[in-house]
Amino acid sequence: MGQAGCKGLYQSLFDYKTEKYVIAKNKKVGLLYRLLQVSILTYLVVWVFLVKKCYQDTDTSLQSSIITKVKGVTFTNTSELGERLWDVADYVIPPQGENVFFVITNLVVTPNQRQETCAESESIPDALCYEDSDCPPGEPVVAGNGVRTGRCLWAGSEQKGTCEIFAWCPVETKSRPAKPLLGKAEDFTVYIKNFIRFPKFNFSKTNVLDTTDRAFLKSCKFGPKDPYCPIFRLGSVVSWTGSSFQEIAVQGGVIGIQIEWDCDLDRAPSECYPRYYFNRLDNRFSENSLSSGYNFRFAKYYRDAAGVELRTLFKAYGIRFDVMVNGKGSFFCDLVLIYFIKKSHFYRDKKYEEVRDLEVLARMAESSQQSGPGPAGLAEQPEVQDGVGAQENGCVCRQLLQPASITR
Amino acid sequence: MGQAGCKGLYQSLFDYKTEKYVIAKNKKVGLLYRLLQVSILTYLVVWVFLVKKCYQDTDTSLQSSIITKVKGVTFTNTSELGERLWDVADYVIPPQGENVFFVITNLVVTPNQRQETCAESESIPDALCYEDSDCPPGEPVVAGNGVRTGRCLWAGSEQKGTCEIFAWCPVETKSRPAKPLLGKAEDFTVYIKNFIRFPKFNFSKTNVLDTTDRAFLKSCKFGPKDPYCPIFRLGSVVSWTGSSFQEIAVQGGVIGIQIEWDCDLDRAPSECYPRYYFNRLDNRFSENSLSSGYNFRFAKYYRDAAGVELRTLFKAYGIRFDVMVNGKGSFFCDLVLIYFIKKSHFYRDKKYEEVRDLEVLARMAESSQQSGPGPAGLAEQPEVQDGVGAQENGCVCRQLLQPASITR
Amino acid sequence: MGQAGCKGLYQSLFDYKTEKYVIAKNKKVGLLYRLLQVSILTYLVVWVFLVKKCYQDTDTSLQSSIITKVKGVTFTNTSELGERLWDVADYVIPPQGENVFFVITNLVVTPNQRQETCAESESIPDALCYEDSDCPPGEPVVAGNGVRTGRCLWAGSEQKGTCEIFAWCPVETKSRPAKPLLGKAEDFTVYIKNFIRFPKFNFSKTNVLDTTDRAFLKSCKFGPKDPYCPIFRLGSVVSWTGSSFQEIAVQGGVIGIQIEWDCDLDRAPSECYPRYYFNRLDNRFSENSLSSGYNFRFAKYYRDAAGVELRTLFKAYGIRFDVMVNGKGSFFCDLVLIYFIKKSHFYRDKKYEEVRDLEVLARMAESSQQSGPGPAGLAEQPEVQDGVGAQENGCVCRQLLQPASITR
């Protein structure tokens, strides 16, 4: 340590250095000083321990599984489909009941499409033609439905026509109904089962009330009255996001349902319950029709009596629900902390003793030295830093036990 | 700085303040003091560097892709479906082989449903009726299958009947088979391909053993004997979660398969391999039939010879497997740290020198001062704090190089 | 506090202890000392505040929703399917337009499969037989297509045959086309709508340029020229990962599209825009055919005129796109910090004053004491530690306002 000679180094190796302290025997200054100490201690005890509960260990690696089940039927009567009843197997896509599910609310149906030739839709700019040479055969129509055959078709007596295409014919030409086909989906319900597990504490729980009243789940609806009933009316969920169901039903949208678990596992398991948040997750304020709403196309494939394939194309508008789960569980870490806290007091006392010994030694060595209880500042400081460290990390325990766990 | 006058301020601007130290020339106390220093240093070297490997940089933003492929066929002979062979395209939903897949193990089949009128199921309380006025036309049956037509149908001579409904008829009336239809799914296997990439280090790896023995993957099964073979027997996976396959097969369930990569990239790439954890993620202990198991309904749509749509409704019970990947890769950050460590020693030596100069100056100024190697406490303290900081953050490197990266 | 007697304790209760300081009235040393202080302060201001922007509050709990829409048609002419046009409803699986979607690029089609008996494929080792006893009835063929009936079928005059099986017959026998069926999918485009929301700041944004030019989205393509146009040509996406589309189209693959939002919300919302990263996420370098590429089997189910079920089995090769979103938004936390910073200066001044009082008292008590501005080291130290704390946590604000928020 340093450039001192070998002997001097050895001599100074066993020296004990400590800071020198001034003691002001003045009650006013002393009171102020003690008040400062007390306020730091109070901060530590009240904020870090009681409010922030920083003696707890936290598990943020939540395991979660979501099972969703939509219920409801509705009846429609349209020219394409005739009288028709819609049940869950018809309007929920995909059917598996995972955390993301879609409920059809509006439809453009193009039935009985076959692989043949027909005129491209007039709404597609690239398909317009004046003569056959405008329709190079084999070339697909940009943003269109098929491949050009080489002919230009004139509907009626107009000068302008559209290219003939090989495609699933007839092509989709109808536009979106202004009134949602399945507007009554507002009254459908969805049962969201959420099972969570904190692997670190081997604690698991569901959002379904543990009740012996079997009728409860058959009749309840989530709301301010029943916050523990995980059965949600679709119309209510949409309204909680600040949107109108009939509006979103026309052109579709995306709704986020967030389930948050913030569990203090020191308490009874019944006090670990989820909170739900509802948000609209599509850009509803956009004027641009290309970037608002939610829709997609799918088809059902059939074969006719002759074995030729045909399909019914659906352009489905509706609401996609994204159920997201997050949370953390905290738990009194264990006795290590208490031990540590006691130890630190013990350790400090020890330090004081040593210092007192030191004082004696120091006095004996040089009686001109200023006396004092020793490196109190040094002893106090680590405690304050513990507080700061605890505050920085959110928890003393984590700092003590799993220093690396926050990297997750 | 403070209320001192302008001149006094200037004079004090270039003063150097340092703490005053007491040196106790006592070997016992000195030894204790040095022991404390050595133990802190040892803690730093052994725990922070060797055990926690905190000289490493960590990448927790894992990129991962999962491809799953189920194999197996089974034969059933039931009254609804007759003799039937089930292959992957029949019993895996969805077919894409993503990280969440479902294997049908039990089925309630309701074939040849058509859009027409029939009696609602007797198991639905809302459908019971005594006379036609109990069945207001056009109103859907709560938790039922269709919309009331206005008639009350009496089956046989009973007084109590059920409303006639317009629905997919006949409605589903059968209950869940007590013995799973596809109980032999226990012997099906799933091949889980997992590709990971640590973007920060541009390191990528798969869980598939890099072998030249092409027959290995055709014959191996994951287990204590073959921990690097990512082909899992479904029955074994279920048993590792502590459940019985035949039990879960009856009413369904959700199994979590967790793949954990914890890679020390300083070692050979072959030492970076995944660990697998299996958990049951549905509420199997619940008595409430409404909140246990996993099932959903889906339909296959057909057209008869006359072109009328009909469908076969399936209520599928089965096991949903959720494959989840997490992990982190750590890597020796780079030479900055070494530089820093050296620098810090250099810096401390520097500090000592300065202090020694200071001592001389101090002595000259006032010869009554106690001599000593100077602000060692001050010099030591930052090092300890580095250690604490390192421990808090999990890593010295991250602290040095990407202080903000833990916010991710 | 210690073992002192009750009276001594009371007396010492209101003592103020402070460290004793040496003031070196030497300009060189003083300059060095001040330089050190200035450099620490400069580090704090420049690095922590200006570079790391650690006065900002950070929200990493991004809410995100993805809507994808593929466009494009292509024409094929094969012996199994005849002339056929492929549109989005045919080649995108699943159709919903979620964050993971698959585009078929190559196909093995096995049409008109029925539940009956036929010979197992010769490529399956377990199906080979020499006599009927090699085919135990009712036993499934390992990695095969069906259940053995008990007969051994010899095709032609060979000695070696394959077991007869009950299965979806005829079984799939064709191998993967060497030239991708839908190689023209290279020119298909995908429109990726991404809506994000930082719940803490209630800030939301999409990746779609907020433009009044409605034609922009109809014509633009993502690229170095148009970085704000979220319409991607599939061929370009594949090429940006360093792969060849025609190569990946043959045996399939997985492409990751990462959208990164790193928003400084102190600036204009228009400066919060996404960056896109493209990576190949399957093991393309593997020699092992079992672990490369991406394919799965699915079937379309039909009924013939007699009502007997048949299906067309598809083994689909193609590209799975995984769109992943991550990001964080930072925001000037609020005036608390400024207040705090001011306060801390105020507090320090206060401290100096106290010390000055102390000095007076100390001088009166013992006139041999060295005068000085007091515990400057103590006053400076917390500031430095604030800086370190800020650096460790990424942000001063978070440390002040939400000490526990990093546990998320």
Side-chain angles (χ1 to χ4, degrees):
Chain A
M1 258 195 188
Q3 285 78 358
C6 206
K7 201 186 166 189
L9 178 74
Y10 176 78
Q11 276 178 344
S12 71
L13 193 64
F14 297 110
D15 290 352
Y16 178 77
K17 282 173 311 227
T18 188
E19 291 156 23
K20 225 175 149 175
Y21 283 86
V22 185
I23 300 273
K25 298 260 178 201
N26 176 294
K27 285 212 171 173
K28 268 189 188 168
V29 173
L31 196 68
L32 207 76
Y33 173 62
R34 289 297 171 203
L35 269 176
L36 198 75
Q37 281 189 332
V38 165
S39 65
I40 287 168
L41 210 76
T42 310
Y43 161 79
L44 269 179
V45 169
V46 174
W47 179 255
V48 177
F49 280 72
L50 297 186
V51 178
K52 283 285 153 190
K53 306 213 166 200
C54 277
Y55 53 86
Q56 292 183 324
D57 193 9
T58 303
D59 188 351
T60 56
S61 62
L62 183 72
Q63 287 183 345
S64 159
S65 83
I66 293 279
I67 301 174
T68 56
K69 200 161 211 172
V70 182
K71 285 230 153 145
V73 293
T74 191
F75 175 82
T76 63
N77 194 348
T78 60
S79 53
E80 292 96 11
L81 297 166
E83 289 196 326
R84 193 184 165 93
L85 186 102
W86 296 82
D87 71 2
V88 174
D90 295 327
Y91 65 71
V92 175
I93 298 169
Q96 292 102 285
E98 292 176 8
N99 61 323
V100 176
F101 62 97
F102 170 82
V103 174
I104 296 175
T105 55
N106 208 356
L107 266 184
V108 175
V109 184
T110 313
N112 298 320
Q113 289 189 323
R114 285 160 191 273
Q115 295 264 349
E116 54 196 24
T117 59
C118 54
E120 176 60 287
S121 165
E122 284 173 21
S123 62
I124 291 161
D126 191 45
L128 297 182
C129 61
Y130 297 93
E131 44 185 306
D132 285 357
S133 63
D134 292 340
C135 301
E139 205 174 274
V141 178
V142 173
N145 297 298
V147 175
R148 291 184 185 85
T149 60
R151 291 172 61 201
C152 183
L153 299 177
W154 293 269
S157 58
E158 291 172 49
Q159 220 183 352
K160 215 164 62 174
T162 57
C163 292
E164 191 191 58
I165 52 170
F166 181 84
W168 285 101
C169 287
V171 297
E172 182 187 293
T173 49
K174 291 204 200 70
S175 57
R176 195 181 66 205
K179 192 175 170 301
L181 187 71
L182 299 183
K184 284 187 183 159
E186 196 166 358
D187 290 321
F188 294 171
T189 57
V190 60
Y191 176 24
I192 301 180
K193 276 195 270 188
N194 179 208
F195 174 89
I196 57 148
R197 187 167 170 270
F198 293 109
K200 201 190 272 175
F201 309 126
N202 200 18
F203 174 89
S204 55
K205 197 151 194 285
T206 71
N207 66 337
V208 183
L209 198 65
D210 219 6
T211 177
T212 51
D213 178 13
R214 293 188 53 149
F216 175 69
L217 274 177
K218 299 222 173 197
S219 59
C220 72
K221 290 253 162 56
F222 179 85
K225 279 188 206 160
D226 266 333
Y228 306 128
C229 169
I231 296 176
F232 302 84
R233 189 176 159 272
L234 298 195
S236 306
V237 168
V238 172
S239 71
W240 292 326
T241 69
S243 302
S244 144
F245 190 90
Q246 293 304 322
E247 232 171 71
I248 204 178
V250 174
Q251 67 169 9
V254 182
I255 302 279
I257 300 177
Q258 210 173 331
I259 305 181
E260 201 170 289
W261 296 83
D262 190 353
C263 289
D264 183 347
L265 304 182
D266 292 343
R267 304 187 180 191
S270 63
E271 288 188 47
C272 169
Y273 52 85
R275 263 168 301 180
Y276 300 88
Y277 301 94
F278 308 92
N279 282 298
R280 180 129 182 214
L281 294 184
D282 67 313
N283 191 21
R284 64 169 158 154
F285 302 113
S286 172
E287 290 300 305
N288 194 330
S289 71
L290 272 164
S291 73
S292 62
Y294 181 61
N295 65 73
F296 60 88
R297 285 185 182 83
F298 69 97
K300 282 183 194 160
Y301 296 84
Y302 307 98
R303 285 202 181 176
D304 65 12
V308 177
E309 192 172 27
L310 66 160
R311 75 174 193 187
T312 297
L313 180 68
F314 297 89
K315 183 173 184 181
Y317 297 84
I319 308 172
R320 192 175 84 190
F321 294 89
D322 291 23
V323 185
M324 298 164 279
V325 181
N326 55 43
K328 59 175 201 285
S330 42
F331 194 63
F332 188 91
C333 48
D334 65 1
L335 296 177
V336 169
L337 179 72
I338 299 172
Y339 177 73
F340 180 85
I341 290 168
K342 278 195 184 141
K343 200 76 186 172
S344 90
H345 284 289
F346 172 71
Y347 172 78
R348 203 196 308 162
D349 292 346
K350 203 98 202 155
K351 200 137 200 295
Y352 271 87
E353 269 188 295
E354 286 166 29
V355 169
R356 227 156 255 128
D357 288 353
L358 175 76
E359 277 169 56
V360 180
L361 292 162
R363 261 180 217 138
M364 290 196 294
E366 343 157 32
S367 54
S368 75
Q369 281 302 323
Q370 190 69 30
S371 78
L378 208 91
E380 236 82 69
Q381 250 183 350
E383 195 183 3
V384 177
Q385 283 168 17
D386 269 8
V388 170
Q391 194 189 5
E392 282 168 16
N393 268 328
C395 223
V396 167
C397 292
R398 279 188 32 243
Q399 176 181 351
L400 295 174
L401 298 176
Q402 295 108 2
S405 74
I406 57 160
T407 61
R408 175 75 63 83
Chain B
M1 256 193 193
Q3 285 77 357
C6 206
K7 202 186 166 187
L9 177 75
Y10 176 79
Q11 275 177 346
S12 72
L13 193 67
F14 297 109
D15 290 352
Y16 177 77
K17 284 174 308 228
T18 189
E19 290 156 23
K20 227 173 143 175
Y21 284 87
V22 185
I23 300 272
K25 298 261 178 202
N26 176 293
K27 286 211 173 176
K28 268 189 187 167
V29 175
L31 197 65
L32 205 77
Y33 174 62
R34 288 297 170 203
L35 268 176
L36 196 75
Q37 282 189 331
V38 164
S39 65
I40 287 168
L41 210 75
T42 310
Y43 160 79
L44 268 180
V45 168
V46 173
W47 178 255
V48 178
F49 281 73
L50 297 186
V51 177
K52 284 282 153 190
K53 304 215 169 197
C54 277
Y55 53 85
Q56 290 183 325
D57 192 9
T58 304
D59 189 351
T60 57
S61 62
L62 184 72
Q63 288 183 345
S64 158
S65 82
I66 293 279
I67 300 174
T68 56
K69 202 161 207 172
V70 181
K71 286 229 155 149
V73 292
T74 191
F75 174 83
T76 64
N77 195 347
T78 60
S79 54
E80 292 96 11
L81 297 165
E83 290 196 325
R84 193 185 164 94
L85 185 103
W86 295 82
D87 71 2
V88 174
D90 295 327
Y91 64 71
V92 175
I93 298 171
Q96 292 102 284
E98 293 176 7
N99 61 322
V100 176
F101 62 96
F102 170 82
V103 173
I104 296 175
T105 55
N106 207 357
L107 265 185
V108 175
V109 183
T110 313
N112 298 321
Q113 289 189 323
R114 286 162 192 271
Q115 296 263 349
E116 55 197 23
T117 59
C118 54
E120 176 59 287
S121 165
E122 283 172 23
S123 62
I124 291 162
D126 190 44
L128 297 182
C129 61
Y130 297 92
E131 43 186 306
D132 285 357
S133 62
D134 292 341
C135 300
E139 206 173 275
V141 179
V142 173
N145 297 299
V147 175
R148 291 183 184 87
T149 61
R151 292 173 59 198
C152 184
L153 299 177
W154 292 269
S157 58
E158 291 172 51
Q159 218 183 353
K160 214 163 64 171
T162 56
C163 292
E164 190 191 57
I165 52 170
F166 181 84
W168 286 101
C169 287
V171 296
E172 183 187 293
T173 49
K174 293 203 199 69
S175 57
R176 196 181 65 204
K179 189 173 173 298
L181 186 72
L182 300 183
K184 285 187 182 159
E186 196 165 358
D187 291 322
F188 294 170
T189 58
V190 59
Y191 175 25
I192 300 179
K193 276 195 270 188
N194 179 209
F195 174 90
I196 56 147
R197 186 166 169 270
F198 293 109
K200 202 190 272 177
F201 309 126
N202 199 17
F203 175 89
S204 55
K205 198 152 192 286
T206 72
N207 66 336
V208 182
L209 199 66
D210 219 6
T211 176
T212 50
D213 177 12
R214 293 189 50 149
F216 175 69
L217 275 178
K218 300 221 173 199
S219 59
C220 73
K221 288 255 164 55
F222 179 85
K225 278 186 204 160
D226 266 333
Y228 306 128
C229 168
I231 294 176
F232 303 84
R233 189 177 159 272
L234 298 195
S236 307
V237 168
V238 172
S239 71
W240 291 326
T241 70
S243 303
S244 143
F245 189 90
Q246 293 303 322
E247 232 171 72
I248 203 177
V250 174
Q251 66 168 12
V254 182
I255 302 278
I257 301 177
Q258 209 173 333
I259 306 181
E260 201 171 288
W261 296 82
D262 191 354
C263 290
D264 183 347
L265 304 183
D266 292 345
R267 303 187 180 191
S270 65
E271 288 189 45
C272 169
Y273 51 84
R275 264 168 301 180
Y276 300 88
Y277 301 94
F278 307 92
N279 281 298
R280 179 127 181 217
L281 293 185
D282 66 314
N283 190 21
R284 63 170 159 156
F285 301 113
S286 171
E287 291 299 307
N288 193 329
S289 71
L290 272 164
S291 73
S292 62
Y294 181 61
N295 65 73
F296 61 88
R297 286 185 180 84
F298 68 97
K300 282 183 194 161
Y301 296 83
Y302 306 99
R303 285 202 182 176
D304 65 12
V308 177
E309 193 172 26
L310 65 159
R311 73 174 195 187
T312 296
L313 180 69
F314 298 89
K315 184 173 184 181
Y317 297 83
I319 307 172
R320 191 176 83 189
F321 294 89
D322 290 22
V323 186
M324 296 164 281
V325 180
N326 56 42
K328 60 176 201 284
S330 43
F331 193 64
F332 189 90
C333 48
D334 64 2
L335 296 178
V336 169
L337 179 73
I338 300 173
Y339 176 74
F340 181 84
I341 291 168
K342 277 194 183 145
K343 200 77 187 171
S344 90
H345 284 288
F346 173 69
Y347 171 79
R348 201 195 309 164
D349 292 347
K350 202 101 205 155
K351 200 137 198 295
Y352 272 87
E353 269 189 295
E354 287 165 29
V355 168
R356 227 153 257 126
D357 288 355
L358 175 76
E359 278 170 53
V360 180
L361 293 162
R363 260 179 217 138
M364 290 197 294
E366 339 157 35
S367 53
S368 74
Q369 282 302 324
Q370 190 68 29
S371 80
L378 207 90
E380 236 83 67
Q381 250 183 348
E383 196 184 4
V384 176
Q385 283 168 14
D386 270 7
V388 170
Q391 195 189 2
E392 281 168 16
N393 267 328
C395 223
V396 166
C397 292
R398 276 187 37 241
Q399 177 183 349
L400 295 175
L401 299 175
Q402 295 108 4
S405 74
I406 56 160
T407 62
R408 175 73 64 85
Chain C
M1 253 188 192
Q3 285 78 0
C6 205
K7 201 187 166 188
L9 177 74
Y10 176 79
Q11 276 179 344
S12 72
L13 191 66
F14 296 109
D15 291 351
Y16 177 77
K17 283 174 308 228
T18 189
E19 290 156 24
K20 224 171 148 180
Y21 284 85
V22 185
I23 300 273
K25 298 259 178 202
N26 175 293
K27 286 212 173 175
K28 268 189 187 168
V29 173
L31 197 67
L32 206 76
Y33 173 61
R34 289 298 172 201
L35 269 176
L36 197 74
Q37 282 188 330
V38 165
S39 65
I40 287 168
L41 208 75
T42 309
Y43 161 78
L44 268 180
V45 169
V46 173
W47 179 254
V48 178
F49 281 72
L50 298 186
V51 177
K52 283 286 153 190
K53 304 213 170 201
C54 278
Y55 53 85
Q56 290 183 324
D57 192 9
T58 304
D59 188 352
T60 58
S61 62
L62 185 72
Q63 289 184 344
S64 159
S65 82
I66 293 278
I67 300 174
T68 56
K69 201 160 209 171
V70 181
K71 285 228 153 146
V73 293
T74 191
F75 174 83
T76 63
N77 195 345
T78 61
S79 54
E80 292 96 10
L81 296 166
E83 289 196 326
R84 193 184 164 95
L85 185 103
W86 295 82
D87 70 3
V88 174
D90 295 326
Y91 64 71
V92 175
I93 296 170
Q96 293 101 285
E98 291 175 9
N99 62 321
V100 176
F101 62 96
F102 170 81
V103 174
I104 296 175
T105 55
N106 208 357
L107 267 183
V108 175
V109 184
T110 314
N112 299 321
Q113 288 189 325
R114 286 160 190 272
Q115 294 265 350
E116 54 195 24
T117 58
C118 54
E120 178 59 289
S121 164
E122 284 173 22
S123 63
I124 291 161
D126 190 44
L128 297 181
C129 62
Y130 297 92
E131 43 186 307
D132 285 355
S133 63
D134 293 339
C135 301
E139 205 173 276
V141 179
V142 172
N145 297 299
V147 175
R148 291 183 184 85
T149 60
R151 293 173 59 199
C152 185
L153 298 177
W154 293 269
S157 58
E158 290 174 50
Q159 218 182 353
K160 213 163 62 173
T162 56
C163 292
E164 190 190 57
I165 52 170
F166 180 85
W168 285 100
C169 287
V171 297
E172 182 187 292
T173 49
K174 292 201 202 73
S175 57
R176 193 181 65 205
K179 192 175 169 300
L181 186 71
L182 299 183
K184 283 186 183 160
E186 195 165 358
D187 290 321
F188 293 171
T189 57
V190 59
Y191 174 25
I192 300 179
K193 276 196 270 187
N194 179 209
F195 175 89
I196 56 147
R197 186 165 169 269
F198 293 108
K200 201 190 274 176
F201 310 127
N202 199 20
F203 175 90
S204 55
K205 199 152 192 286
T206 72
N207 67 337
V208 182
L209 198 66
D210 217 7
T211 177
T212 49
D213 178 13
R214 293 187 51 148
F216 175 69
L217 275 177
K218 300 222 172 197
S219 58
C220 74
K221 290 253 164 57
F222 179 86
K225 277 185 204 160
D226 266 332
Y228 306 129
C229 169
I231 295 176
F232 302 84
R233 190 176 158 271
L234 298 194
S236 305
V237 168
V238 171
S239 72
W240 291 325
T241 70
S243 303
S244 144
F245 189 90
Q246 293 304 321
E247 234 171 69
I248 204 178
V250 174
Q251 67 169 10
V254 182
I255 302 278
I257 301 177
Q258 209 174 332
I259 306 182
E260 201 170 288
W261 296 83
D262 190 353
C263 289
D264 183 347
L265 304 183
D266 292 343
R267 302 189 181 189
S270 63
E271 287 188 45
C272 169
Y273 50 84
R275 265 167 300 179
Y276 300 89
Y277 301 94
F278 307 92
N279 282 297
R280 180 131 180 211
L281 293 184
D282 67 311
N283 192 21
R284 64 171 159 153
F285 302 112
S286 171
E287 290 299 307
N288 193 329
S289 71
L290 271 164
S291 74
S292 61
Y294 181 60
N295 65 73
F296 60 88
R297 285 185 182 84
F298 68 98
K300 282 184 194 160
Y301 296 84
Y302 306 98
R303 286 203 180 175
D304 65 11
V308 177
E309 192 173 27
L310 65 160
R311 73 175 194 185
T312 298
L313 180 69
F314 297 88
K315 182 172 185 183
Y317 296 84
I319 307 171
R320 191 175 83 190
F321 294 89
D322 291 20
V323 185
M324 297 164 280
V325 180
N326 56 41
K328 60 176 199 285
S330 43
F331 192 65
F332 188 91
C333 48
D334 65 1
L335 297 178
V336 169
L337 179 72
I338 299 173
Y339 177 74
F340 180 85
I341 290 168
K342 277 194 184 145
K343 200 77 187 171
S344 89
H345 282 289
F346 172 71
Y347 172 78
R348 201 196 308 161
D349 292 345
K350 203 104 204 151
K351 199 137 200 295
Y352 271 86
E353 267 188 297
E354 287 165 27
V355 169
R356 228 155 255 128
D357 289 352
L358 175 76
E359 278 170 55
V360 178
L361 293 163
R363 260 180 216 136
M364 291 196 296
E366 343 157 32
S367 55
S368 74
Q369 281 301 323
Q370 190 68 31
S371 78
L378 207 90
E380 237 83 69
Q381 251 183 348
E383 195 183 7
V384 176
Q385 283 168 13
D386 270 6
V388 170
Q391 193 189 5
E392 281 168 16
N393 268 329
C395 226
V396 167
C397 292
R398 276 186 34 239
Q399 177 181 349
L400 296 174
L401 298 177
Q402 296 107 3
S405 75
I406 58 162
T407 61
R408 174 74 64 85

